[in-house]
Amino acid sequence: MDSDTTSYRPLPSEAEYLGLKAPSVRARPIHTYTRSFPNEQSSEHAASRRRRAKVSAFKELDVDTMLDAQTSHAHRTAIDSLTSRPTQRLRNQPDSFDSLQSDDASPISPNGSESSDQFEFATSENEWTTSWRAFSSSRLMMLALVLLVAMPLLYDTPLLGIAGPSIIGANAGAIRRSGPQKKEFVDGKLVTRQAITDTNVCNRWSQQSALVNGTIYLYGGHTTTTADQMSDTWNNDFLTIDVTKSWDIALPVIAGLPQPSGPPPVSNGYLWNSYDSLYLYGGEYSSDPITNPSPYSLWQYDIASSTWTETQNPQTSAGNNSDGGDQPVLGSAEGAGVSVPELGRGFYFAGHQDPYTTPGWSQQIYRIYLKSLLEFTFPGHSNDGVQSLSGGSTAGSGGVWRNVTQGGIQDTAVFPNRADGVILYVPGYGVDGILVSMAGGTNESFTQMNVIDVYDVGSSTWYRQSTSGAYPILRVNPCAVAFSAPDGSSTNIYMFGGQNLIPYGNQTQYSDMWILTIPSFTWIQVDTKGQSVPPGRTGHTCNIWNGQIIVVGGYTGPPSNGLGCDSGFYVFNATSLQWQNNYNPLTGGDTQNQQVSQQKDISGLSGSYGYQVPVPVQSVIGGKGSGGATVTAPAESATAGPLATGKPITYTITGSNGAEVTETGTASTTGSSASNNGKGGPNIGAIVAGIVAGCFAVLAGYLGFCAWVYRRQLTLYKNHVAMSQRATAAGGGEKSSFLAPTPSGGSSARNKYSTDQSSRKMGSGAGSSGYTAVPPLPMAGEAPIGGNSTANSSVEELSGEPSFFGVLLNPRRSLRVINRD
């Protein structure tokens, strides 16, 4: 051939081609080629090729040796001739022979030498290949850059699904919940879709909760996925529980909502609620891992539109017994919160502040405990206690804040700082009702529950009220709810669980249920023996609907106690006083689930629909299930405040036959004997009257007998006192110890309780809590100190003047004292 003509070897036949064993793409040998010139002899070139060392990316597998052993030189020459043919490469499509192409790109002439034209063509082709590879690399880099930018935008598409938190989106302002598999645009801007809250967790506690129109909303708190998880538990989970449907406690009707990107993941704050919105206040940020808190912002959730809105840098306003106003609202945690939607306000009492609630707080500075009451007036509502809202003005879109710090005894030493308590609203006393505070404490002392703090909402003033009956042992972080009797004559506060913090490292979680009935302010412990009582817990939430208490979550102790994962959903029937395995909704009822008799009054307590006063409570305050309480005042009467001057709101109950039955103040005797249509028969009225008269005769005789015994015992007591005085004057006598306690209060009984308290390290007495005027706490089940004491019925135990009431309780013992004298 002429020197300017490219020479090709004939293509192998189909049989020869199929017989070739070309290397695969994954194991293609890479050869080193040398430059040859036309004047070189073919023999020298062949020798050079035989002496040339092969270099291969798969040298460790000795692929070249295997190929040499399996492929003849003729076959390799045929492949070389195939790959040396000029081909036209497209920029977006590689050559179809790339998988068969040898890296030895110098063509061999039939006589064994390489022509310069072939070499130049091969060199040109190699340069083209190198250029193509460089372009391919640039294209890949450009594609990677495009994907990096586009991936976040594709985050919300069905192609990618939900892979994790988005890296774009607003940090504040309105954040709309998007529907599944959809992207939403607000004002032309893409709104990020948040991850849906996982409802399947191991444990849940310290969350914020609210109940609006048959739906419980839960936000934040702590969750774990395994029983032994100890850190990284804080979250911003947002979910709902439907209490308008039936469900088993093992399978509640629970639904996850999108986790908002604005509101922070906090625990131990509070979720206030109006009739259409939620308001998140306070809470503490993660301490493991440590997370620095942000300046407090009010986050409002509009239920109808499913949007969160932020109000930054809220300030307090001046008002009754408050600070001077224009002060920044700071976050706090573990306070007691309550919503009063009928007044359009939310309250947060006491709590603490530390490095996990307040930005800029040093880890070297110990937390402080509070005793202030923070009041938030919901948007669109008025509040005469706030100067800026006087005259009927209403709060704007961000609401109005007031920090009550000087409300009566709140500004005295007997009013202790505290956290982890509960506070409830009771309507009907004073102008706007009262708040009742219970439980709580600090790391060193607890708030005693034989004396209750009462806040008059109308006058913004705190008072104190003593209770009667054996009262609960000291505790923090219980949950509490309030039910109204159908006729409003009593309000019964149920308190469940809680925790004793002492001794440190060995805390005790409680599973007991207590009732504080108002206005008698009497404690009643519920007997739950033989029931499926939930394990003791703290940090749980309680909500009420259809006369039932729905308990959610709670910390049950360290993993070492072996309880493992706790479903965290329990239901207690407040009427039958039974723990039950199901939640059972009732038909009827209004949107606020008020008692039928109270549905026309906005002050009626929500959630009380279907509730009846339990029998154990009736036995203490009188009346029956629908009300009619006969004990209408505390055992130790209030001397000032709404409990001294106010009274409960009472309602008229309509019977099943349409008749109106008023059951307030005293137990009513409704109904009259039927006429029997003129027919003869026993006179039921006369029989009842005779029985009642007989009972009164027996009672009169018994009272007369007790009066006689009382007079005899009183005479005996006076004789003993005279003898003791004479013995004392003479230097002491054997009965001098029978004298009554001195007014100083140094009785042996009181010292006994003080000793018991010291051994239990409960911080009673004049500790840092400042309860110098409050008697020490007896053990659970013991009667409180003070009040009317009964007479001792034997000379050996006689220590005070006998009372007629004591004789009524034990006349036989009083007779024994008289007979032994």
Side-chain angles (χ1 to χ4, degrees), residues 703-717:
L703 291 177
F705 170 73
C706 290
W708 176 79
V709 173
Y710 168 68
R711 288 194 298 270
R712 292 291 306 274
Q713 191 176 13
L714 181 61
T715 301
L716 176 63
Y717 169 77

Side-chain angles (χ1 to χ4, degrees), residues 211 213-216 241-254 483 543-552 569-574 578-593 606-610:
L211 199 161
N213 195 23
T215 299
I216 298 176
I241 304 171
D242 192 345
V243 291
T244 64
K245 301 177 180 178
S246 299
W247 42 264
D248 188 273
I249 60 174
L251 294 171
V253 182
I254 183 172
F483 288 94
N543 299 97
I544 60 173
W545 204 256
N546 289 330
Q548 298 164 83
I549 303 175
I550 299 97
V551 179
V552 179
F569 296 93
Y570 299 94
V571 178
F572 184 79
N573 190 304
Q578 295 285 322
W579 288 102
Q580 53 194 37
N581 294 327
N582 301 282
Y583 169 77
N584 302 305
L586 303 178
T587 58
D590 60 357
T591 56
Q592 303 309 317
N593 204 240
S606 299
S608 297
Y609 179 76

Side-chain angles (χ1 to χ4, degrees), residues 431-759:
V431 177
D432 294 322
I434 59 176
L435 303 180
V436 178
S437 171
M438 302 181 296
T442 68
N443 286 341
E444 299 177 352
S445 62
F446 294 83
T447 301
Q448 303 182 50
M449 283 180 278
N450 61 332
V451 177
I452 300 297
D453 294 309
V454 177
Y455 178 77
D456 180 14
V457 177
S459 65
S460 305
T461 305
W462 284 97
Y463 298 90
R464 310 199 79 186
Q465 178 59 52
S466 297
T467 65
S468 57
Y471 50 92
I473 195 170
L474 301 171
R475 67 193 63 202
V476 298
N477 266 333
C479 76
V481 292
F483 288 94
S484 173
D487 71 346
S489 62
S490 67
T491 298
N492 298 312
I493 295 176
Y494 289 66
M495 185 179 71
F496 169 64
Q499 177 176 238
N500 185 346
L501 296 177
I502 299 175
Y504 176 78
N506 191 24
Q507 294 91 337
T508 302
Q509 291 80 39
Y510 299 119
S511 61
D512 50 353
M513 181 76 75
W514 291 80
I515 299 175
L516 178 67
T517 180
I518 297 174
S520 73
F521 276 86
T522 304
W523 281 106
I524 303 168
Q525 185 171 13
V526 178
D527 184 6
T528 57
K529 294 179 181 178
Q531 300 183 29
S532 298
V533 180
R537 63 197 53 238
T538 184
H540 46 296
T541 56
C542 293
N543 299 97
I544 60 173
W545 204 256
N546 289 330
Q548 298 164 83
I549 303 175
I550 299 97
V551 179
V552 179
Y555 174 75
T556 57
S560 58
N561 63 11
L563 291 178
C565 295
D566 189 311
S567 66
F569 296 93
Y570 299 94
V571 178
F572 184 79
N573 190 304
T575 299
S576 64
L577 304 182
Q578 295 285 322
W579 288 102
Q580 53 194 37
N581 294 327
N582 301 282
Y583 169 77
N584 302 305
L586 303 178
T587 58
D590 60 357
T591 56
Q592 303 309 317
N593 204 240
Q594 297 171 302
Q595 294 277 19
V596 174
S597 57
Q598 303 175 25
Q599 291 178 357
K600 295 181 180 180
D601 184 0
I602 195 173
S603 299
L605 288 178
S606 299
S608 297
Y609 179 76
Y611 172 74
Q612 296 282 303
V613 179
V615 173
V617 178
Q618 298 175 34
S619 65
V620 174
I621 66 173
K624 53 185 179 180
S626 57
T630 57
V631 180
T632 58
E636 185 175 328
S637 300
T639 57
L643 292 175
T645 59
K647 59 182 180 180
I649 302 175
T650 55
Y651 302 88
T652 298
I653 299 176
T654 303
S656 58
N657 59 356
E660 292 185 351
V661 181
T662 302
E663 298 182 349
T664 58
T666 59
S668 62
T669 55
T670 60
S672 58
S673 58
S675 63
N676 293 318
N677 296 322
K679 297 180 180 180
N683 192 334
I684 303 299
I687 295 175
V688 172
I691 294 175
V692 172
C695 292
F696 272 111
V698 174
L699 178 61
Y702 176 71
L703 291 177
F705 170 73
C706 290
W708 176 79
V709 173
Y710 168 68
R711 288 194 298 270
R712 292 291 306 274
Q713 191 176 13
L714 181 61
T715 301
L716 176 63
Y717 169 77
K718 291 180 178 179
N719 292 336
H720 278 292
V721 170
M723 293 172 57
S724 299
Q725 290 174 345
R726 290 193 297 271
T728 301
E734 61 178 353
K735 296 184 179 181
S736 60
S737 61
F738 299 154
L739 293 177
T742 61
S744 61
S747 67
S748 60
R750 183 175 296 275
N751 291 333
K752 171 182 178 293
Y753 285 117
S754 299
T755 303
D756 292 342
Q757 283 297 98
S758 299
S759 65

